[in-house]
Amino acid sequence: MKTYSTGGPKLSTGFLLPFILQMAFIAFQLPCYAQTKGNISGKVVDPQGIPIEYVSVGLLYEDGKMVKGALSDSTGKFTFSAVPDGKYLVKVTGVSYHPLTTQSFVISVENRILDLGLLKLKEDSKLLNAVVISAQKKLVEQTIDKTVINVENSILSEGNTALELLERAPGVKVGEDGQISLKGRSGVLVMINGKSTYLSPKELSTLLKGTNSSSISKIEIMSNPSAKYDAAGNGGIINIQMKKNMKTGLNGSVSLNGGASRNARYGSALSLNYRNDKVNVYGSYDYGYRGETEYLDFVRRFYDNGNAGGIASRASYQDTETDEPLHTNNFRLGLDYELDSSNTIGLLINGNVGKYTHDSKTGNRLISGDGTIISRMATTNYDQQNWKNLTYNVNYLHKFKKEGRTFSADADFASNSFTSNLNLKTTTLPSTDGQAGITTNRRGYIPAVTDVYLAKIDYADPLTKTIKLESGLKSSIIQSDNNLRYDVLNNGNWEYDSNGSNHFKYKEQIHAGYFNINKEFKGFSVQAGLRGEYTRTQGHQITTDSLLIRSYFQLFPSVFINKPIGGNHQIQAAYSRRIERPDYGDLNPFRVFRDPLLFYQGNPFLKPELINTFQLSHSFKGKYTTAINYNQTTDVITWLSGQIDSLNTTFESPQNLNRLINYGISFTASTTFIEWWNGTHFANIFRNEYKGNVQNNTFNNNTTSFSFNSQNSFKAGKGYTMELSGFYYSGSVYGISTYKGSYAISTGVQKNILKDKGNIKFMVNDIFQSNRYREQTKYQNIDMYTNKRPDSRRIMLSLSYRFGNQDISKKDRKTGSEDIQNRVKGGG
């Protein structure tokens, strides 16, 4: 057996040592701060006692002059620290609520710490009557650290998959094969309910295609996460939050949808929930069918001199039509039980089972430089894929007597299986009269099984009024087995293809620990965190009896500085270090054929890529956010194209390029131009600069890109609501390739019925069918162009109805964990 062992990426001690010393200094010094000035805190709630997040809270002198401002956090809490002695008032204002002003109070030597308790806002009945759906959350909410898309409120989400929803998310771009990038940065970590899935990009894409919008509550986008989250995901984190009913009593909902693109689409969903003071039992199931037909044009030019340019000696023209029917089944079953006021346990089972068919017909013409037909080929590729994802979770939450101090624990097991049955038939047609055609047949059986074992604990403690500590430990073990078998048909008999077949096993362990310290200073706050991760991977190429072992330890610091200015402005500076590990589909060197002239092949010697990311952002009134970012990635993993001229064959394989520099500026605005028109708009200008070595030659590929996304909601009265959304992406670069721009416009209308317990939705997605993928690669001997036209224009009609008790519970219990399944490192 050939064994390779590497130590992984080097630790940059020159940068980290000063940071670690500084963190240690801060940790020792924090408890020593004397409370020389006052501290004022409180919690904003609605008439039912439910916390109200992100409302404006102003600290005023007794005469009404503004001192400083803040926003309530996600739990409704606010804090003013380092307040000088004097007489003050606190004023709270929020949309759809009457303003509230407290009585005056005094900060003095005898009264340094003041807790105002619950500040209960009263609803503005006039405003509530004027705005029919003011109780609903906005379609898109922007905070200083993340963007939240409330999917369940969107008309345009109907009949879509999770992957299609991401295509319309601000700053997010989905590539032709499901690759996801954020603000021009690839390597995005996609989480479901806060949990990494540990799936390969292809398997993740399939899973997201199989996740229906009817089961999704919201999508959270974080471009610069803290040390509490996994260090994976160079492009940031996208968290898909599934629906969880928090209403008391017995209640539920049912929905149906149907429509068509180039083929039919339809689905249904049912959810049930029962909740009382001690127990919450919930379950849901949805089924979806998505018919889809897409078209692909693929042109390759070959040059005898080995350099692309001038007149090609021959050219390959390929056109493909693919039918891709998809059947999906999603189910969820959970139980939360409150042992007492301090302890809660929970059980949860998530499942996603589906079937996907790739049925394509391809024609290929190889033509010489003078126009003579060299060969003609006709290929059929029938690939039947089945997958099953099951996740089992046990969680525990303990609330201490001290408010805000909590301990949670989780244990998870995820079983993931993907199976592909591939039949590839190619007929070489006669180019002249009298010649006989030649037919070759290849079949493949590609199973991928991945098991994930995960355990984690988290502890949170507000040490003082101005200091909060978060810490935790996490361990994950992943085991993957991919046994690819190819057979070829020879004289009517199927024979094992030893050259194309391959058996690859992959094991990975990641053990992590983190701490975050949040400190309120006079006029600003700092959150500093440090995460350490030990990684050990083992890739066993059973076919060639070779073993690649890699182990390394990495530190991932993060720092966030937040400063409110007055009552309307907020500035934040952020830094974090992150990692993107290659999944086993990238590492497995087996070949997967799309057709006889195109295959994909992994690279077992890939190194993880590391990124340092910086961001400076400004928020005005919580509605307008401007962010400037700079990111540098080393050993960036990029899929690059190669070419075997003698065989007229193209292949793609992942490689480590030297670095990627990404920088840009983005602007997000939440607008209410008119009382009945709300919108969220996102614009981003960024530049990507790839630098590296390909085939022993250095290259630089760079461009400046622009993207724009706008989502608008209109209240038309009498229970009608309309939506209009659109996005535009200019040209961009990836590795040695260049992508053309694309855009899409979608619209929809909703009518509330049955005393607002039901609604009817009608939507049209990508009205002009303009969302397409066009790629140009011209480097050394490679000259190729791809034009992919997905089945993006679709018309959908849906009906939903809510039944049972619809009152929100005053208790908002959550499971101790909401974060497992997303790098299951699958194959192919």
Side-chain angles (χ1 to χ4, degrees):
M1 176 187 296
K2 292 179 288 186
T3 303
Y4 306 89
S5 181
T6 67
K10 294 182 179 179
L11 194 62
S12 178
T13 54
F15 168 77
L16 289 173
L17 186 57
F19 176 82
I20 295 171
L21 294 175
Q22 185 180 11
M23 291 291 294
F25 176 78
I26 293 174
F28 282 112
Q29 291 296 318
L30 285 177
C32 301
Y33 275 96
Q35 192 72 38
T36 59
K37 294 187 177 182
N39 188 89
I40 303 167
S41 62
K43 186 174 183 179
V44 184
V45 297
D46 68 5
Q48 287 74 42
I50 299 175
I52 307 176
E53 57 182 16
Y54 309 125
V55 295
S56 296
V57 185
L59 178 65
L60 291 74
Y61 290 115
E62 190 178 30
D63 61 4
K65 184 179 179 181
M66 173 67 72
V67 179
K68 62 174 72 174
L71 295 174
S72 63
D73 64 17
S74 59
T75 63
K77 295 180 181 179
F78 65 89
T79 301
F80 295 110
S81 57
V83 179
D85 293 350
K87 291 186 177 182
Y88 298 95
L89 305 168
V90 165
K91 183 175 182 179
V92 185
T93 56
V95 178
S96 302
Y97 295 97
H98 288 289
L100 180 147
T101 303
T102 67
Q103 295 182 344
S104 62
F105 51 84
V106 177
I107 295 295
S108 63
V109 176
E110 296 80 14
N111 191 29
R112 291 286 187 208
I113 300 176
L114 179 63
D115 186 352
L116 299 175
L118 299 180
L119 302 183
K120 187 174 294 186
L121 299 186
K122 295 182 180 180
E123 294 177 341
D124 189 333
S125 59
K126 293 182 179 179
L127 184 58
L128 287 173
N129 291 332
V131 182
V132 178
I133 60 169
S134 60
Q136 289 187 347
K137 295 180 180 179
K138 292 182 179 180
L139 297 179
V140 181
E141 295 178 306
Q142 178 69 39
T143 67
I144 196 72
D145 61 340
K146 64 183 175 182
T147 301
V148 180
I149 305 170
N150 293 303
V151 173
E152 56 189 333
N153 293 340
S154 174
I155 302 170
L156 299 179
S157 68
E158 286 300 318
N160 286 320
T161 67
L163 193 64
E164 291 166 341
L165 292 177
L166 290 179
E167 290 178 341
R168 292 202 300 270
V172 178
K173 184 176 182 181
V174 180
E176 59 176 316
D177 294 319
Q179 311 100 323
I180 299 170
S181 61
L182 178 60
K183 292 186 177 180
R185 294 155 48 194
S186 59
V188 176
L189 174 65
V190 178
M191 310 177 86
I192 297 178
N193 286 334
K195 297 176 180 287
S196 299
T197 64
Y198 301 95
L199 289 166
S200 72
K202 181 177 180 181
E203 290 180 342
L204 175 61
S205 175
T206 303
L207 178 65
L208 295 179
K209 288 178 182 177
T211 303
N212 296 317
S213 61
S214 58
S215 59
I216 299 174
S217 172
K218 60 185 177 182
I219 297 174
E220 300 173 325
I221 302 172
M222 295 169 278
S223 59
N224 210 340
S226 71
K228 180 178 181 179
Y229 296 93
D230 289 348
N234 280 355
I237 292 178
I238 295 176
N239 180 37
I240 300 175
Q241 195 74 32
M242 309 304 286
K243 289 181 179 178
K244 184 178 180 181
N245 201 327
M246 302 302 296
K247 299 180 177 69
T248 57
L250 179 64
N251 51 78
S253 65
V254 61
S255 65
L256 298 169
N257 65 72
S261 51
R262 294 178 180 135
N263 294 288
R265 288 188 175 207
Y266 50 85
S268 60
L270 172 67
S271 68
L272 292 171
N273 182 82
Y274 175 75
R275 186 181 186 90
N276 60 25
D277 288 339
K278 289 286 186 180
V279 178
N280 181 36
V281 182
Y282 56 94
S284 64
Y285 169 79
D286 65 71
Y287 167 78
Y289 171 79
R290 189 196 69 178
E292 181 172 349
T293 299
E294 69 175 26
Y295 301 103
L296 171 68
D297 299 323
F298 189 25
V299 180
R300 290 169 289 178
R301 294 180 173 87
F302 302 90
Y303 301 84
D304 287 338
N305 61 9
N307 291 308
I311 300 176
S313 58
R314 59 198 180 282
S316 169
Y317 297 91
Q318 180 175 310
D319 56 87
T320 302
E321 178 182 330
T322 305
D323 286 326
E324 298 179 302
L326 174 72
H327 298 263
T328 63
N329 299 270
N330 299 277
F331 59 88
R332 195 175 195 222
L333 182 62
L335 168 68
D336 294 331
Y337 181 69
E338 189 175 284
L339 301 173
D340 52 43
S341 59
S342 300
N343 299 281
T344 303
I345 59 172
L347 303 173
L348 177 63
I349 301 175
N350 275 320
N352 184 296
V353 180
K355 180 175 67 174
Y356 170 75
T357 302
H358 177 99
D359 185 6
S360 67
K361 298 177 177 60
T362 299
N364 184 284
R365 294 175 295 128
L366 185 64
I367 300 176
S368 66
D370 60 7
T372 304
I373 296 179
I374 300 175
S375 67
R376 294 185 300 158
M377 301 173 66
T379 301
T380 60
N381 184 341
Y382 186 85
D383 186 6
Q384 180 72 65
Q385 299 180 13
N386 295 272
W387 75 88
K388 180 170 65 176
N389 300 89
L390 297 174
T391 303
Y392 307 87
N393 169 262
V394 179
N395 57 78
Y396 167 74
L397 174 65
H398 175 73
K399 297 179 181 178
F400 294 88
K401 291 184 178 179
K402 180 181 179 181
E403 185 179 355
R405 179 186 291 175
T406 61
F407 171 83
S408 63
D410 285 84
D412 295 89
F413 169 68
S415 174
N416 306 270
S417 63
F418 287 76
T419 302
S420 171
N421 287 280
L422 171 69
N423 285 276
L424 190 64
K425 179 181 179 181
T426 301
T427 301
T428 303
L429 304 174
S431 56
T432 61
D433 295 336
Q435 288 184 330
I438 301 174
T439 299
T440 59
N441 288 272
R442 173 187 291 269
R443 70 181 183 187
Y445 177 66
I446 310 174
V449 178
T450 304
D451 292 330
V452 180
Y453 304 85
L454 184 146
K456 76 183 191 77
I457 57 174
D458 293 283
Y459 173 75
D461 189 359
L463 301 177
T464 69
K465 288 287 186 179
T466 62
I467 303 174
K468 181 180 180 181
L469 170 69
E470 291 181 312
S471 61
L473 299 171
K474 180 179 179 179
S475 289
S476 62
I477 300 174
I478 301 109
Q479 298 177 344
S480 296
D481 189 346
N482 189 305
N483 190 0
L484 167 67
R485 177 189 173 97
Y486 275 125
D487 296 322
V488 294
L489 188 63
N490 190 8
N491 296 323
N493 298 313
W494 287 104
E495 298 179 357
Y496 177 68
D497 180 8
S498 58
N499 293 325
S501 301
N502 184 76
H503 191 185
F504 184 76
K505 287 188 175 182
Y506 181 82
K507 295 180 180 180
E508 177 185 273
Q509 298 181 43
I510 301 177
H511 305 287
Y514 78 92
F515 72 87
N516 276 326
I517 295 178
N518 191 298
K519 167 66 178 173
E520 294 278 347
F521 293 93
K522 181 180 179 180
F524 70 98
S525 63
V526 176
Q527 177 178 291
L530 184 65
R531 186 180 186 91
E533 293 190 351
Y534 169 76
T535 304
R536 177 181 171 84
T537 63
Q538 176 180 301
H540 188 190
Q541 189 72 18
I542 297 175
T543 305
T544 59
D545 196 24
S546 63
L547 187 67
L548 179 64
I549 299 174
R550 178 173 282 152
S551 62
Y552 49 91
F553 176 77
Q554 288 280 301
L555 292 175
F556 302 97
S558 63
V559 179
F560 300 85
I561 302 174
N562 190 57
K563 180 174 178 58
I565 303 176
N568 295 325
H569 298 271
Q570 196 168 178
I571 295 176
Q572 185 185 78
Y575 163 78
S576 64
R577 185 174 189 258
R578 305 187 65 77
I579 189 172
E580 182 71 10
R581 303 175 181 91
D583 65 70
Y584 95 73
D586 294 336
L587 297 170
N588 193 349
F590 70 83
R591 294 182 176 182
V592 174
F593 288 87
R594 194 173 78 180
D595 60 61
L597 301 179
L598 176 63
F599 65 85
Y600 305 93
Q601 183 172 346
N603 177 3
F605 298 102
L606 284 176
K607 295 181 292 184
E609 60 182 36
L610 294 168
I611 185 172
N612 290 289
T613 176
F614 304 84
Q615 180 169 292
L616 178 66
S617 58
H618 168 260
S619 177
F620 176 63
K621 291 186 176 180
K623 295 182 178 181
Y624 309 98
T625 302
T626 304
I628 301 173
N629 62 276
Y630 176 87
N631 316 284
Q632 181 168 307
T633 306
T634 56
D635 294 322
V636 57
I637 299 173
T638 309
W639 279 82
L640 300 178
S641 299
Q643 198 163 269
I644 306 173
D645 289 340
S646 60
L647 300 176
N648 302 319
T649 300
T650 301
F651 63 89
E652 293 187 6
S653 178
Q655 305 291 331
N656 285 113
L657 300 182
N658 292 351
R659 64 177 179 171
L660 164 64
I661 296 177
N662 164 273
Y663 53 93
I665 182 170
S666 63
F667 179 71
T668 306
S670 297
T671 58
T672 305
F673 297 114
I674 308 174
E675 184 181 281
W676 44 267
W677 178 8
N678 292 317
T680 301
H681 320 283
F682 174 85
N684 184 33
I685 300 175
F686 64 92
R687 183 171 179 82
N688 279 343
E689 300 177 356
Y690 285 89
K691 297 183 179 181
N693 295 285
V694 178
Q695 300 176 7
N696 300 319
N697 287 286
T698 61
F699 87 100
N700 296 319
N701 193 16
N702 55 74
T703 193
T704 300
S705 304
F706 171 75
S707 68
F708 176 75
N709 181 292
S710 179
Q711 309 222 15
N712 301 270
S713 177
F714 307 91
K715 305 176 184 70
K718 296 184 178 180
Y720 283 96
T721 307
M722 295 184 291
E723 281 184 39
L724 178 66
S725 75
F727 68 79
Y728 170 77
Y729 297 107
S730 70
S732 60
V733 294
Y734 175 79
I736 62 175
S737 300
T738 301
Y739 289 84
K740 304 293 185 180
S742 63
Y743 72 95
I745 297 175
S746 306
T747 188
V749 61
Q750 170 182 297
K751 174 69 168 71
N752 292 335
I753 58 174
L754 302 176
K755 298 181 180 179
D756 290 340
K757 289 187 175 182
N759 60 62
I760 298 176
K761 298 178 181 179
F762 175 80
M763 59 86 69
V764 182
N765 186 77
D766 192 7
I767 299 172
F768 304 107
Q769 202 157 12
S770 50
N771 187 20
R772 58 182 59 188
Y773 307 101
R774 294 173 293 171
E775 177 186 357
Q776 176 80 47
T777 303
K778 200 167 186 178
Y779 179 76
Q780 294 185 359
N781 66 326
I782 303 171
D783 184 356
M784 61 185 190
Y785 174 76
T786 303
N787 181 14
K788 185 176 182 180
R789 292 162 286 162
D791 202 349
S792 56
R793 179 167 58 194
R794 52 189 172 273
I795 299 174
M796 298 295 299
L797 179 67
S798 73
L799 172 65
S800 63
Y801 178 72
R802 301 182 303 275
F803 55 87
N805 182 25
Q806 297 299 311
D807 293 330
I808 300 291
S809 168
K810 294 183 181 180
K811 295 184 178 181
D812 185 14
R813 298 192 302 271
K814 296 182 179 179
T815 60
S817 153
E818 297 222 301
D819 77 288
I820 179 175
Q821 265 255 141
N822 189 318
R823 262 183 73 251
V824 172
K825 297 187 178 292

